[in-house]
Amino acid sequence: MKSKLLVATLFGVGLSFGCVSEQHDVTLTANLKETGPLLHKDIYGQFAEHLGRGIYEGIYVGPDSDIPNTKGFRNDVLNALKAIKVPLVRWPGGCFADEYHWRDGIGKQSERPVKVNTHWGGVEETNAVGTHEIFDFIELLGADAYINGNLGSGSVQEMAEWVEYMTSDKNSTLANERRKNGREEPWDIAYFGIGNESWGCGGNMSPEYYTDLYKQYATFIKTPPGKKPKLVGSGGHTEDTQWTDVLSANIQQNMDGISYHFYTLPNSDWQKKGHATEFDNDDWFATLERTYRMNDYLKANIAKLDKNDPEGKIGLYVDEWGTWYDPEPGREPGFLYQQNTLRDAVVTAVNFNLFNQYADRVHMTNIAQMVNVLQAMVLTDGADMLVTPTYHVFGMYKVFQNATAIPFTIDSGAYQQGDKQLPAVTASLALGTDGHVYLALVNLDPENDASIELNLSNGNFSKLTGELLTHDAITAKNTFSQKEVVKPAAFSASLNDLTLPAKSVLVGRLQ
């Protein structure tokens, strides 16, 4: 029998669910001449923290390494990340940002102080990768920089001087110090964060106290004309909306966006989060149910912004998101290394579709993290490396960077377990910068296919051509002995006979 329909729209109309069938019948309706918000390229940003093997070994091995590198950065990792068009890199943290003092990371590497990374494993931090090195990396990628300043243990003067060091084109002492250290021209900073997780590792503050500090620190961030970055306030997490509310109500200038953090834990339990690669269909549902809470959390925070900022000047920046599982046995727990399966790929696509859905406020996000940490794009083992299922989804969705959303409605069957229900299929639809119309579909259901009917007006298309990512096993992963177990396959189908396999991600161009 056919399932009843789930109804949703790109702009957040409520959901209604029916019974489950063996095949989901899905109808997507759109007028291709209508346009929605810009899907900012920075929605597809990434996060590189000084954590575990994320920076050292992961992206940086030093210029004297036997591993082929450019300016100390691994060529294999650079080439992999360039292929998916990473638009934005957030650095140096994370929790690490509020114990990072920028002067420790400039000058001769051999003379830089060795510190202890108190947040992540208590390991030595050599400061070999500092300001100059990370901008080398970002420029090699062709990406933009999101720099996170130290509010928690730093000072107003320290933060202001760092910004001057990076951006000044004058003959000031700080600008000349930058030149002496090898960089003549100032760098461009796209975003600058004033603290991180100030409710927790960044200082255990109240939003009211942080608001006053923010206004003080932001006052002294000064750059040459046209060089000022978008300033980011440290916001809330999970279901907490008070940070978004207090900041947007009380900071009337010098704030372009408020950060927001949410991690997907299968068990919603920080003490027993769940295994990265050993799980069943129940765990799969629990993971997808947790990640889809992002929908409600985004709506709740955006409601606060709409109340306090009706003109829409302030963005919501989801600058930490992704899956977080239990530490891998035998590894340092503080390094947060975990494997990455087809489940993580589906989680990624579900979140991308949500970010695109709320793109009028969600202008930037950063997955945690790029290499060897949490939901990584790339894993390394000495000179060896592999790309993960999540990496492939980023590559498939790169066509949505700076695309223009096309509003749509989608009627989809329910994917449910017990009394909990999710949409079986979610989507993104947009006009790409190349003039083509792109459609992304993700089937959350690990067992049932979906029959897709497209009702598209003001367009003459007959087929969908692109890439499909799926696998027979929900636990499928890429390993150093089998690197291509999960990878996209070419896809082409008539719009009159379009079927989306179970547990799959599809991105294609309408033709």
PDB file of all heavy atoms in Angstrom, residues 29-54:
ATOM      1  N   THR A  29       7.712  19.559  -5.881  1.00  0.00           N
ATOM      2  CA  THR A  29       7.057  20.526  -6.761  1.00  0.00           C
ATOM      3  C   THR A  29       7.777  21.866  -6.680  1.00  0.00           C
ATOM      4  O   THR A  29       8.070  22.353  -5.577  1.00  0.00           O
ATOM      5  CB  THR A  29       5.583  20.708  -6.362  1.00  0.00           C
ATOM      6  OG1 THR A  29       4.930  19.436  -6.410  1.00  0.00           O
ATOM      7  CG2 THR A  29       4.883  21.679  -7.293  1.00  0.00           C
ATOM      8  N   ALA A  30       8.067  22.457  -7.847  1.00  0.00           N
ATOM      9  CA  ALA A  30       8.757  23.744  -7.852  1.00  0.00           C
ATOM     10  C   ALA A  30       8.469  24.497  -9.138  1.00  0.00           C
ATOM     11  O   ALA A  30       8.259  23.896 -10.199  1.00  0.00           O
ATOM     12  CB  ALA A  30      10.264  23.543  -7.708  1.00  0.00           C
ATOM     13  N   ASN A  31       8.471  25.821  -9.017  1.00  0.00           N
ATOM     14  CA  ASN A  31       8.467  26.714 -10.164  1.00  0.00           C
ATOM     15  C   ASN A  31       9.905  27.175 -10.364  1.00  0.00           C
ATOM     16  O   ASN A  31      10.451  27.923  -9.541  1.00  0.00           O
ATOM     17  CB  ASN A  31       7.549  27.911  -9.908  1.00  0.00           C
ATOM     18  CG  ASN A  31       7.530  28.906 -11.050  1.00  0.00           C
ATOM     19  OD1 ASN A  31       8.352  28.848 -11.962  1.00  0.00           O
ATOM     20  ND2 ASN A  31       6.586  29.837 -11.011  1.00  0.00           N
ATOM     21  N   LEU A  32      10.530  26.746 -11.437  1.00  0.00           N
ATOM     22  CA  LEU A  32      11.958  26.974 -11.612  1.00  0.00           C
ATOM     23  C   LEU A  32      12.299  28.432 -11.898  1.00  0.00           C
ATOM     24  O   LEU A  32      13.484  28.787 -11.923  1.00  0.00           O
ATOM     25  CB  LEU A  32      12.497  26.076 -12.728  1.00  0.00           C
ATOM     26  CG  LEU A  32      12.358  24.571 -12.459  1.00  0.00           C
ATOM     27  CD1 LEU A  32      12.949  23.770 -13.611  1.00  0.00           C
ATOM     28  CD2 LEU A  32      13.018  24.178 -11.146  1.00  0.00           C
ATOM     29  N   LYS A  33      11.305  29.271 -12.091  1.00  0.00           N
ATOM     30  CA  LYS A  33      11.559  30.699 -12.269  1.00  0.00           C
ATOM     31  C   LYS A  33      11.579  31.452 -10.940  1.00  0.00           C
ATOM     32  O   LYS A  33      11.993  32.607 -10.882  1.00  0.00           O
ATOM     33  CB  LYS A  33      10.494  31.316 -13.184  1.00  0.00           C
ATOM     34  CG  LYS A  33      10.566  30.835 -14.632  1.00  0.00           C
ATOM     35  CD  LYS A  33      11.879  31.209 -15.300  1.00  0.00           C
ATOM     36  CE  LYS A  33      11.879  30.807 -16.764  1.00  0.00           C
ATOM     37  NZ  LYS A  33      13.177  31.116 -17.427  1.00  0.00           N
ATOM     38  N   GLU A  34      11.124  30.801  -9.881  1.00  0.00           N
ATOM     39  CA  GLU A  34      11.150  31.440  -8.569  1.00  0.00           C
ATOM     40  C   GLU A  34      12.542  31.307  -7.955  1.00  0.00           C
ATOM     41  O   GLU A  34      13.244  30.328  -8.201  1.00  0.00           O
ATOM     42  CB  GLU A  34      10.106  30.817  -7.646  1.00  0.00           C
ATOM     43  CG  GLU A  34       8.671  31.084  -8.061  1.00  0.00           C
ATOM     44  CD  GLU A  34       7.673  30.527  -7.070  1.00  0.00           C
ATOM     45  OE1 GLU A  34       8.106  29.901  -6.082  1.00  0.00           O
ATOM     46  OE2 GLU A  34       6.465  30.705  -7.293  1.00  0.00           O
ATOM     47  N   THR A  35      12.915  32.271  -7.156  1.00  0.00           N
ATOM     48  CA  THR A  35      14.226  32.223  -6.522  1.00  0.00           C
ATOM     49  C   THR A  35      14.111  32.471  -5.025  1.00  0.00           C
ATOM     50  O   THR A  35      13.240  33.201  -4.562  1.00  0.00           O
ATOM     51  CB  THR A  35      15.192  33.266  -7.126  1.00  0.00           C
ATOM     52  OG1 THR A  35      14.634  34.575  -6.969  1.00  0.00           O
ATOM     53  CG2 THR A  35      15.451  32.985  -8.591  1.00  0.00           C
ATOM     54  N   GLY A  36      15.024  31.855  -4.294  1.00  0.00           N
ATOM     55  CA  GLY A  36      15.126  32.034  -2.849  1.00  0.00           C
ATOM     56  C   GLY A  36      16.463  32.664  -2.509  1.00  0.00           C
ATOM     57  O   GLY A  36      17.065  33.362  -3.336  1.00  0.00           O
ATOM     58  N   PRO A  37      16.964  32.434  -1.306  1.00  0.00           N
ATOM     59  CA  PRO A  37      18.213  33.069  -0.877  1.00  0.00           C
ATOM     60  C   PRO A  37      19.447  32.477  -1.552  1.00  0.00           C
ATOM     61  O   PRO A  37      19.411  31.382  -2.118  1.00  0.00           O
ATOM     62  CB  PRO A  37      18.237  32.791   0.629  1.00  0.00           C
ATOM     63  CG  PRO A  37      17.436  31.544   0.791  1.00  0.00           C
ATOM     64  CD  PRO A  37      16.354  31.624  -0.243  1.00  0.00           C
ATOM     65  N   LEU A  38      20.537  33.215  -1.479  1.00  0.00           N
ATOM     66  CA  LEU A  38      21.837  32.721  -1.917  1.00  0.00           C
ATOM     67  C   LEU A  38      22.285  31.605  -0.985  1.00  0.00           C
ATOM     68  O   LEU A  38      22.185  31.723   0.238  1.00  0.00           O
ATOM     69  CB  LEU A  38      22.866  33.855  -1.887  1.00  0.00           C
ATOM     70  CG  LEU A  38      24.307  33.459  -2.225  1.00  0.00           C
ATOM     71  CD1 LEU A  38      24.463  33.243  -3.728  1.00  0.00           C
ATOM     72  CD2 LEU A  38      25.282  34.536  -1.729  1.00  0.00           C
ATOM     73  N   LEU A  39      22.769  30.520  -1.563  1.00  0.00           N
ATOM     74  CA  LEU A  39      23.390  29.453  -0.776  1.00  0.00           C
ATOM     75  C   LEU A  39      24.882  29.786  -0.696  1.00  0.00           C
ATOM     76  O   LEU A  39      25.674  29.402  -1.554  1.00  0.00           O
ATOM     77  CB  LEU A  39      23.163  28.092  -1.430  1.00  0.00           C
ATOM     78  CG  LEU A  39      21.706  27.722  -1.721  1.00  0.00           C
ATOM     79  CD1 LEU A  39      21.624  26.328  -2.335  1.00  0.00           C
ATOM     80  CD2 LEU A  39      20.863  27.803  -0.460  1.00  0.00           C
ATOM     81  N   HIS A  40      25.234  30.544   0.336  1.00  0.00           N
ATOM     82  CA  HIS A  40      26.592  31.075   0.431  1.00  0.00           C
ATOM     83  C   HIS A  40      27.607  29.942   0.419  1.00  0.00           C
ATOM     84  O   HIS A  40      27.414  28.917   1.078  1.00  0.00           O
ATOM     85  CB  HIS A  40      26.749  31.917   1.693  1.00  0.00           C
ATOM     86  CG  HIS A  40      27.921  32.842   1.661  1.00  0.00           C
ATOM     87  ND1 HIS A  40      29.214  32.393   1.731  1.00  0.00           N
ATOM     88  CD2 HIS A  40      27.997  34.194   1.544  1.00  0.00           C
ATOM     89  CE1 HIS A  40      30.042  33.429   1.674  1.00  0.00           C
ATOM     90  NE2 HIS A  40      29.321  34.533   1.555  1.00  0.00           N
ATOM     91  N   LYS A  41      28.689  30.131  -0.317  1.00  0.00           N
ATOM     92  CA  LYS A  41      29.714  29.095  -0.405  1.00  0.00           C
ATOM     93  C   LYS A  41      30.208  28.661   0.964  1.00  0.00           C
ATOM     94  O   LYS A  41      30.587  27.484   1.172  1.00  0.00           O
ATOM     95  CB  LYS A  41      30.899  29.580  -1.251  1.00  0.00           C
ATOM     96  CG  LYS A  41      31.692  30.719  -0.644  1.00  0.00           C
ATOM     97  CD  LYS A  41      32.848  31.139  -1.535  1.00  0.00           C
ATOM     98  CE  LYS A  41      33.651  32.285  -0.938  1.00  0.00           C
ATOM     99  NZ  LYS A  41      34.284  31.956   0.373  1.00  0.00           N
ATOM    100  N   ASP A  42      30.188  29.574   1.939  1.00  0.00           N
ATOM    101  CA  ASP A  42      30.751  29.262   3.249  1.00  0.00           C
ATOM    102  C   ASP A  42      29.866  28.340   4.083  1.00  0.00           C
ATOM    103  O   ASP A  42      30.271  27.909   5.173  1.00  0.00           O
ATOM    104  CB  ASP A  42      31.052  30.552   4.012  1.00  0.00           C
ATOM    105  CG  ASP A  42      32.155  31.361   3.339  1.00  0.00           C
ATOM    106  OD1 ASP A  42      32.932  30.766   2.569  1.00  0.00           O
ATOM    107  OD2 ASP A  42      32.223  32.589   3.565  1.00  0.00           O
ATOM    108  N   ILE A  43      28.674  28.020   3.575  1.00  0.00           N
ATOM    109  CA  ILE A  43      27.887  26.951   4.198  1.00  0.00           C
ATOM    110  C   ILE A  43      28.672  25.638   4.185  1.00  0.00           C
ATOM    111  O   ILE A  43      28.479  24.773   5.033  1.00  0.00           O
ATOM    112  CB  ILE A  43      26.533  26.791   3.467  1.00  0.00           C
ATOM    113  CG1 ILE A  43      25.605  27.961   3.793  1.00  0.00           C
ATOM    114  CG2 ILE A  43      25.852  25.473   3.812  1.00  0.00           C
ATOM    115  CD1 ILE A  43      24.309  27.977   2.999  1.00  0.00           C
ATOM    116  N   TYR A  44      29.621  25.536   3.256  1.00  0.00           N
ATOM    117  CA  TYR A  44      30.385  24.304   3.090  1.00  0.00           C
ATOM    118  C   TYR A  44      31.797  24.423   3.658  1.00  0.00           C
ATOM    119  O   TYR A  44      32.734  23.759   3.218  1.00  0.00           O
ATOM    120  CB  TYR A  44      30.399  23.926   1.600  1.00  0.00           C
ATOM    121  CG  TYR A  44      28.992  23.725   1.090  1.00  0.00           C
ATOM    122  CD1 TYR A  44      28.268  24.772   0.525  1.00  0.00           C
ATOM    123  CD2 TYR A  44      28.350  22.512   1.269  1.00  0.00           C
ATOM    124  CE1 TYR A  44      26.950  24.612   0.128  1.00  0.00           C
ATOM    125  CE2 TYR A  44      27.031  22.340   0.872  1.00  0.00           C
ATOM    126  CZ  TYR A  44      26.342  23.388   0.301  1.00  0.00           C
ATOM    127  OH  TYR A  44      25.031  23.216  -0.081  1.00  0.00           O
ATOM    128  N   GLY A  45      31.947  25.277   4.690  1.00  0.00           N
ATOM    129  CA  GLY A  45      33.237  25.483   5.329  1.00  0.00           C
ATOM    130  C   GLY A  45      33.662  24.318   6.212  1.00  0.00           C
ATOM    131  O   GLY A  45      32.874  23.429   6.544  1.00  0.00           O
ATOM    132  N   GLN A  46      34.946  24.354   6.606  1.00  0.00           N
ATOM    133  CA  GLN A  46      35.514  23.284   7.418  1.00  0.00           C
ATOM    134  C   GLN A  46      36.333  23.863   8.566  1.00  0.00           C
ATOM    135  O   GLN A  46      36.622  25.056   8.610  1.00  0.00           O
ATOM    136  CB  GLN A  46      36.345  22.352   6.541  1.00  0.00           C
ATOM    137  CG  GLN A  46      35.511  21.691   5.443  1.00  0.00           C
ATOM    138  CD  GLN A  46      36.259  20.641   4.671  1.00  0.00           C
ATOM    139  OE1 GLN A  46      37.322  20.170   5.067  1.00  0.00           O
ATOM    140  NE2 GLN A  46      35.697  20.245   3.538  1.00  0.00           N
ATOM    141  N   PHE A  47      36.704  22.996   9.486  1.00  0.00           N
ATOM    142  CA  PHE A  47      37.269  23.391  10.775  1.00  0.00           C
ATOM    143  C   PHE A  47      38.571  22.624  11.002  1.00  0.00           C
ATOM    144  O   PHE A  47      38.606  21.401  10.881  1.00  0.00           O
ATOM    145  CB  PHE A  47      36.234  23.065  11.853  1.00  0.00           C
ATOM    146  CG  PHE A  47      36.617  23.400  13.271  1.00  0.00           C
ATOM    147  CD1 PHE A  47      37.550  24.371  13.575  1.00  0.00           C
ATOM    148  CD2 PHE A  47      36.007  22.731  14.325  1.00  0.00           C
ATOM    149  CE1 PHE A  47      37.877  24.671  14.890  1.00  0.00           C
ATOM    150  CE2 PHE A  47      36.323  23.018  15.641  1.00  0.00           C
ATOM    151  CZ  PHE A  47      37.262  23.987  15.927  1.00  0.00           C
ATOM    152  N   ALA A  48      39.647  23.360  11.297  1.00  0.00           N
ATOM    153  CA  ALA A  48      40.950  22.746  11.570  1.00  0.00           C
ATOM    154  C   ALA A  48      41.461  23.264  12.909  1.00  0.00           C
ATOM    155  O   ALA A  48      41.973  24.378  12.995  1.00  0.00           O
ATOM    156  CB  ALA A  48      41.936  23.068  10.454  1.00  0.00           C
ATOM    157  N   GLU A  49      41.320  22.452  13.941  1.00  0.00           N
ATOM    158  CA  GLU A  49      41.737  22.836  15.291  1.00  0.00           C
ATOM    159  C   GLU A  49      43.049  22.141  15.640  1.00  0.00           C
ATOM    160  O   GLU A  49      43.358  21.065  15.143  1.00  0.00           O
ATOM    161  CB  GLU A  49      40.655  22.450  16.304  1.00  0.00           C
ATOM    162  CG  GLU A  49      40.961  22.900  17.727  1.00  0.00           C
ATOM    163  CD  GLU A  49      39.778  22.728  18.678  1.00  0.00           C
ATOM    164  OE1 GLU A  49      38.750  22.160  18.247  1.00  0.00           O
ATOM    165  OE2 GLU A  49      39.878  23.179  19.826  1.00  0.00           O
ATOM    166  N   HIS A  50      43.795  22.753  16.536  1.00  0.00           N
ATOM    167  CA  HIS A  50      44.982  22.101  17.082  1.00  0.00           C
ATOM    168  C   HIS A  50      44.512  21.028  18.062  1.00  0.00           C
ATOM    169  O   HIS A  50      44.364  21.253  19.263  1.00  0.00           O
ATOM    170  CB  HIS A  50      45.877  23.125  17.778  1.00  0.00           C
ATOM    171  CG  HIS A  50      46.606  24.011  16.823  1.00  0.00           C
ATOM    172  ND1 HIS A  50      47.973  23.994  16.661  1.00  0.00           N
ATOM    173  CD2 HIS A  50      46.145  24.926  15.933  1.00  0.00           C
ATOM    174  CE1 HIS A  50      48.337  24.866  15.745  1.00  0.00           C
ATOM    175  NE2 HIS A  50      47.230  25.447  15.281  1.00  0.00           N
ATOM    176  N   LEU A  51      44.285  19.863  17.517  1.00  0.00           N
ATOM    177  CA  LEU A  51      43.635  18.778  18.256  1.00  0.00           C
ATOM    178  C   LEU A  51      44.094  17.455  17.649  1.00  0.00           C
ATOM    179  O   LEU A  51      43.954  17.242  16.443  1.00  0.00           O
ATOM    180  CB  LEU A  51      42.102  18.920  18.127  1.00  0.00           C
ATOM    181  CG  LEU A  51      41.179  18.196  19.101  1.00  0.00           C
ATOM    182  CD1 LEU A  51      39.739  18.647  18.884  1.00  0.00           C
ATOM    183  CD2 LEU A  51      41.269  16.692  18.985  1.00  0.00           C
ATOM    184  N   GLY A  52      44.662  16.583  18.485  1.00  0.00           N
ATOM    185  CA  GLY A  52      45.067  15.271  18.001  1.00  0.00           C
ATOM    186  C   GLY A  52      46.013  15.381  16.818  1.00  0.00           C
ATOM    187  O   GLY A  52      46.975  16.150  16.822  1.00  0.00           O
ATOM    188  N   ARG A  53      45.727  14.610  15.766  1.00  0.00           N
ATOM    189  CA  ARG A  53      46.549  14.626  14.563  1.00  0.00           C
ATOM    190  C   ARG A  53      45.884  15.435  13.442  1.00  0.00           C
ATOM    191  O   ARG A  53      46.098  15.172  12.264  1.00  0.00           O
ATOM    192  CB  ARG A  53      46.833  13.192  14.093  1.00  0.00           C
ATOM    193  CG  ARG A  53      47.666  12.379  15.070  1.00  0.00           C
ATOM    194  CD  ARG A  53      48.081  11.026  14.522  1.00  0.00           C
ATOM    195  NE  ARG A  53      46.931  10.223  14.138  1.00  0.00           N
ATOM    196  CZ  ARG A  53      46.654   9.863  12.884  1.00  0.00           C
ATOM    197  NH1 ARG A  53      47.426  10.249  11.884  1.00  0.00           N
ATOM    198  NH2 ARG A  53      45.590   9.120  12.621  1.00  0.00           N
ATOM    199  N   GLY A  54      45.095  16.424  13.832  1.00  0.00           N
ATOM    200  CA  GLY A  54      44.422  17.234  12.830  1.00  0.00           C
ATOM    201  C   GLY A  54      45.367  18.155  12.084  1.00  0.00           C
ATOM    202  O   GLY A  54      45.366  18.201  10.850  1.00  0.00           O
TER     203      GLY A  54
END
